[in-house]
Amino acid sequence: QQGLVDFLLWLFPESTNMNLHREIWFAIIEKLREQNRSICEALELPEEAVDIEGLYKLNMDRMKNKTNDYRFIFGFSQHLFKTKPSDIPVSVSDSVVGYLYLSQSEDVDKVDDHTEKLSAFLNAEKDQQPPVYIGFGSMTISNKPKILRAIIGALRLTSQRAVILRGWAELAIDCLDATRDSELIKYASTNVLWVESVAHDWLMPRCSVNVIHGGAGTTASALRAGRPIVVMPFAFDQGFMAERVVDLGVGFRAPFV
């Protein structure tokens, strides 16, 4: 809990607008409650085992009594920049420690529930290049049919297969219209594998191209995989990440979705 509070303080280190801070907190607290319920259910713990309301109070108290005696580390690679940006303070640049990765599971076949299907799909066409990975993580999409028509249309035009992460947008073949999109649905039925979740460190190196939204963590995994990257930014720092990918010469960017 303390770690989340420190994160919020880092996010708004000089903010004096408590109302703004409360609004941002309320935007995430319901998601925290939902995740808390799932975790407590899985661990057979009472829901009150994690005090979400107490976390909120602690956060507000810390916001009202901010101090500067914190030491932060920044988990990104210094090689993300060809040259060190001139506006990064020394105190920050000295705390850039590189990307932080979990050790890959020794039993990689158990990384996620879809590995058996994924392995079969990846190895189905020996004479073709590996499939494309397409995943937008926690991004939501208001016009899912439009995005899917563009994605599957591009796959069909270039005769590519793909692994598509459903993600928070809940992308699925049934988002398309059975009449209007019949050809795309037919193509996707044999050339697209839809997955609920996936271990990036396992899948990305096995794909020919990784198409992502440009979230910091996802971009880190894509860079580590060593495959070409296409960034389709939605919001936040994703446009910046897209620029970094292009500037490093390891991929391309699309316009903001």
Side-chain angles (χ1 to χ4, degrees), residues 134-150:
I134 301 168
F136 304 129
S138 60
M139 297 297 99
T140 57
I141 299 174
S142 58
N143 194 337
K144 290 184 276 191
K146 180 180 178 180
I147 290 291
L148 286 177
R149 285 178 188 125

Side-chain angles (χ1 to χ4, degrees), residues 5 14 16 35 53 62 91 96 102 108 124 126 157 161 173 177 179 183 186 193 220 223 256:
V5 173
E14 304 300 329
T16 58
Q35 292 175 341
E53 302 304 329
R62 291 285 295 282
S91 60
V96 175
L102 294 173
V108 74
K126 296 291 187 181
L157 184 66
R161 298 180 305 129
I173 196 66
D177 183 88
T179 302
E183 291 300 315
K186 180 180 178 181
L193 179 66
L223 289 168
F256 272 93

